[in-house]
Amino acid sequence: MTHLGNSAASRDIAYSLHPYTNLHAHETVGPLVITEGKGIYVYDETGKEYIEGVAGLWCTSLGFSEQRLVDAAMRQMKVLPFYHQFAHKAHNPAIDLSERLVKMAPAPMSKAFFATSGSEANDTAVKLVWYYNNALGRPEKKKIIARTKGYHGVTVAAASLTGLPNCHRDFDLPIARILHTDCPHWYRYAEEGESEEAYATRLADNLDQLIQREGPETVAAFIAEPVMGAGGVITPPRTYFEKIQAVLAKHDVLLIADEVICGFGRTGEMWGSTTYGLKPDILTTAKALSSAYLPISAVLVNEKIYRACVAESEKIGVFGHGYTYSGHPVSSAVALETLKIYEERDIVGHVRQVGPRLQQALAKFRDHPLVGEVRGVGLIAGVELVADKATRQPFDPKLAIAAKLAAFGHQHGAVLRPIGDTVGFSPPLIIEEEQVDELVKRFGMALDDTAKWLAAQ
Ligand SMILES: Cc1ncc(COP(=O)(O)O)c(C=O)c1O
């Protein structure tokens, strides 16, 4: 990698404003320029190979060279490269995709609405919740409860839902009427001797009390990822969603399942909602919907929400929401082909077969002096590093220990995701068992390097 002269790296520093990057550090560190992808591998400009241990951003489920998706895009490009869904217009790719998604949803759904990103899908969900309650004549019932460390995106409403300080700080967020409740991370936040079940009960009680304090007539919805991804790969404690949903039902609060990471096989079921028994009223999804080959996201709504939207739009004269690219035909065609491939290749069955290999291989690091917790399900996992195993004391954030490990990972040819002190894994769903072993081996080398580096501090 060179940052000199007219190199790609130096032009990147000169012209690109990078998402989720320390912009000051980037001016000296520069980028890792990725030029090619094949299967589960990506290659940088020097030709160095990396196993993409996070499928890009938890999204490239079919790897980086699925020809059928390229062909599907080409076919659609030639026939109808763009059309829209506004004002009674429609086209076959969006019709077919709507039907397919509604029929495969983990809970009864009525309609699919399309956008281009997970953030837009969640922003849409927020607006639909507000529209719904206005339609029902409940203008006060508007607050939405999200969770600390939940991740729902970065547009104004979605960033407000996101429970991570860096998404709010100095962006003047969150907006009004968005609240946060507990992060369901048993290892980090349970009390001494508290079982997972007891912890789940306490969190459900806290939610109940929050709703009571705010006034149930003001609380409209609760949003959750089945497994928290960007907040640190946090799997819910046993009985959590069962207890949370009982509280929501008691107060007539809608459930929004954010399936942007979990959807389409990641957890070993088609939906994270199935894995953890969620029965959402609204479901948002993106990423693996098209294996990330083209931007597309979807919001599924149930009949009760749809009917309220119908009534409200009749009153107003129009349902005043939609994006130019809602249901873009080329993205929709690629998404349809992606879903066909999942079915033909039984991607869920494949994840059930290789997922345990990843979880078991990582579990072997539980004895490592730097490892506090190994957690995960299907093909998503997190390894949390700790300064002290016995007390679970985290590292000094200034050490940026997981980022250090990820940098060693690059040297060993693995792309891993540092999140606080946790290292995240979410490889392409097509990964094979031997490739899982190789990924874990490269992680192990990076972990050892991290331990040596730490000892030298
Ligand atoms: C669970 C979840 N929801 C929403 C989003 C936001 O999606 P996007 O980056 O496409 O806006 C993400 C992105 O990582 C996500 O993980």
Side-chain angles (χ1 to χ4, degrees):
M1 181 185 352
T2 165
H3 303 166
L4 297 176
N6 203 31
S7 68
S10 61
R11 285 183 297 114
D12 178 72
I13 293 170
Y15 299 116
S16 299
L17 178 60
H18 278 261
Y20 277 112
T21 300
N22 179 326
L23 299 178
H24 178 69
H26 190 70
E27 292 180 350
T28 43
V29 176
L32 172 66
V33 181
I34 299 294
T35 52
E36 225 185 311
K38 195 160 190 298
I40 65 158
Y41 302 97
V42 291
Y43 300 85
D44 71 16
E45 57 188 338
T46 70
K48 182 173 164 61
E49 171 205 279
Y50 304 81
I51 298 179
E52 230 311 347
V54 208
L57 292 170
W58 331 76
C59 53
T60 325
S61 47
L62 293 175
F64 292 84
S65 52
E66 179 48 65
Q67 189 59 37
R68 278 179 60 179
L69 299 186
V70 178
D71 294 343
M74 286 278 281
R75 275 196 305 275
Q76 187 56 43
M77 277 274 186
K78 286 181 182 162
V79 179
L80 184 69
F82 174 74
Y83 215 67
H84 64 87
Q85 297 181 294
F86 284 31
H88 310 287
K89 304 291 193 301
H91 52 75
N92 283 312
I95 295 168
D96 293 347
L97 186 59
S98 300
E99 180 179 12
R100 196 158 182 141
L101 285 171
V102 166
K103 287 184 172 166
M104 70 190 286
M109 290 291 170
S110 175
K111 301 288 178 287
F113 172 90
F114 296 110
T116 42
S117 69
S119 301
E120 286 173 311
N122 285 326
D123 255 50
T124 297
V126 169
K127 288 179 73 179
L128 289 178
V129 166
W130 292 343
Y131 206 66
Y132 165 78
N133 277 309
N134 285 328
L136 296 188
R138 309 191 295 197
E140 292 302 308
K141 201 166 170 71
K142 296 288 167 55
K143 292 174 190 162
I144 302 186
I145 302 180
R147 301 175 302 168
T148 303
K149 294 203 182 183
Y151 190 79
H152 304 292
V154 293
T155 46
V156 170
S160 298
L161 297 172
T162 292
L164 299 171
N166 290 345
C167 295
H168 297 163
R169 201 171 148 192
D170 292 344
F171 289 117
D172 295 359
L173 296 174
I175 55 172
R177 304 189 295 193
I178 305 282
L179 310 169
H180 290 90
T181 190
D182 308 279
C183 168
H185 191 184
W186 178 79
Y187 171 81
R188 252 302 131 227
Y189 303 120
E191 286 165 1
E192 187 78 32
E194 192 175 34
S195 69
E196 283 191 45
E197 287 82 355
Y199 177 59
T201 303
R202 179 158 66 84
L203 264 44
D205 287 348
N206 286 350
L207 176 66
D208 194 15
Q209 284 161 27
L210 175 63
I211 296 173
Q212 310 261 17
R213 267 199 315 278
E214 295 289 330
E217 71 289 354
T218 72
V219 179
F222 175 84
I223 183 165
E225 302 154 82
V227 176
M228 284 183 168
V233 188
I234 298 163
T235 50
R238 275 188 291 279
T239 70
Y240 172 79
F241 277 114
E242 181 191 318
K243 290 167 180 165
I244 291 287
Q245 288 180 101
V247 173
L248 302 180
K250 181 169 132 192
H251 298 298
D252 188 18
V253 171
L254 298 171
L255 173 61
I256 307 166
D258 181 337
E259 291 267 6
V260 169
I261 284 180
C262 294
F264 308 108
R266 178 61 60 193
T267 63
E269 295 279 357
M270 188 53 84
W271 302 100
S273 290
T274 308
T275 301
Y276 293 106
L278 280 75
K279 295 275 171 250
D281 300 284
I282 300 178
L283 181 153
T284 57
T285 184
K287 297 193 190 266
L289 170 56
S290 62
S291 186
Y293 278 41
L294 282 175
I296 183 165
S297 63
V299 185
L300 305 182
V301 295
N302 67 13
E303 181 67 10
K304 119 179 139 175
I305 292 168
Y306 171 65
R307 279 293 142 213
C309 291
V310 170
E312 195 66 2
S313 81
E314 192 185 9
K315 188 178 92 190
I316 297 170
V318 66
F319 172 60
H321 181 70
Y323 304 101
T324 299
Y325 301 129
S326 284
H328 190 287
V330 184
S331 303
S332 298
V334 169
L336 272 168
E337 190 70 8
T338 305
L339 300 186
K340 268 189 216 154
I341 295 174
Y342 291 157
E343 192 178 343
E344 284 169 27
R345 299 192 193 152
D346 184 19
I347 202 76
V348 170
H350 180 72
V351 173
R352 286 213 195 120
Q353 186 203 326
V354 296
R357 183 90 160 212
L358 176 68
Q359 305 299 338
Q360 284 156 20
L362 290 176
K364 294 195 178 127
F365 291 99
R366 283 201 174 114
D367 295 334
H368 192 282
L370 293 191
V371 173
E373 190 189 29
V374 178
R375 51 185 182 260
V377 61
L379 274 176
I380 184 165
V383 176
E384 182 161 338
L385 308 177
V386 282
D388 184 322
K389 256 174 123 72
T391 62
R392 303 183 178 183
Q393 191 197 325
F395 281 101
D396 179 350
K398 286 201 204 85
L399 282 174
I401 192 80
K404 193 79 201 164
L405 189 150
F408 285 125
H410 281 178
Q411 288 174 17
H412 293 294
V415 178
L416 303 164
R417 171 75 178 258
I419 312 161
D421 286 353
T422 295
V423 180
F425 295 76
S426 168
L429 302 181
I430 56 164
I431 196 166
E432 297 293 345
E433 290 189 336
E434 316 78 66
Q435 295 173 324
V436 166
D437 295 345
E438 183 59 31
L439 172 63
V440 174
K441 187 173 134 199
R442 294 180 190 190
F443 162 74
M445 293 191 285
L447 181 62
D448 288 342
D449 288 350
T450 308
K452 278 185 214 138
W453 171 81
L454 203 59
Q457 294 310 297

